[in-house]
Amino acid sequence: MAKKQKKHSGGTPATVALAAAGAVFTTHAYEHDPAHPSYGEEAAEAMGVSPDRVFKTLVAEVDGRLTVAVVPVSGSLDLKALATAVGGKKAAMADPAAAERTTGYVRGGISPLGQRKALPTVLDASATGHATICVSAGRRGLEVELAPAVLAGLTGAVTAPIAR
């Protein structure tokens, strides 16, 4: 597990956006294993961080509109709760190709930050119970650790109980 602080020139769109905003964050790089069954659990194990503090970025479709859900890797997304959180009626997981095309990231490396097209974002309420959380920094094998309020502020996220 490598830790780097500040100086983020030539990073991913997520780290570039964080640096441009003057946000306080730490990156954590690790060797990604393509055979690992879960990107999020792999990240938690590699960093030695509780899966409750490592959040996965999922893209869903709520009433036909792509929406980002950020939930702990230790749980799963409650699609009905996500729809409710954004004032929608029905939610389903988005087509992976549409998620990649819209965000500009590949599956397993989708970050809620620095996306090609800003999407409505919902951060699970459990994030507020932690001083910092980890989310993808925009590629497999790279996470960014930051305060939940910083993530919500930069993404315009609403906070709601969307994990189960």
Side-chain angles (χ1 to χ4, degrees):
M1 165 180 79
K3 275 191 177 184
K4 293 182 184 173
Q5 193 84 15
K6 309 290 183 276
K7 299 275 188 207
H8 302 282
S9 60
T12 66
T15 59
V16 169
L18 284 164
V24 174
F25 66 101
T26 304
T27 55
H28 299 273
Y30 59 92
E31 197 62 42
H32 167 61
D33 175 7
H36 200 288
S38 166
Y39 298 115
E41 288 175 10
E42 176 190 29
E45 290 167 10
M47 294 185 302
V49 174
S50 166
D52 292 344
R53 280 191 49 230
V54 179
F55 283 63
K56 54 190 168 188
T57 306
L58 303 172
V59 181
E61 203 172 298
V62 179
D63 296 341
R65 183 173 184 205
L66 291 181
T67 303
V68 173
V70 184
V71 297
V73 301
S74 59
S76 60
L77 173 62
D78 181 335
L79 288 165
K80 190 172 197 152
L82 175 65
T84 300
V86 295
K89 293 186 185 326
K90 186 178 178 193
M93 292 308 296
D95 172 62
E100 290 180 346
R101 190 171 47 253
T102 305
T103 64
Y105 295 118
V106 297
R107 236 176 66 192
I110 294 179
S111 177
L113 299 152
Q115 295 181 356
R116 184 176 288 150
K117 180 181 179 198
L119 298 172
T121 303
V122 182
L123 175 60
D124 184 62
S126 67
T128 61
H130 304 286
T132 61
I133 61 170
C134 298
V135 297
S136 175
R139 70 172 166 80
R140 296 171 187 154
L142 187 64
E143 294 280 309
V144 63
E145 182 177 351
L146 72 172
V150 170
L151 177 63
L154 292 175
T155 60
V158 297
T159 303
I162 58 167
R164 49 179 149 163

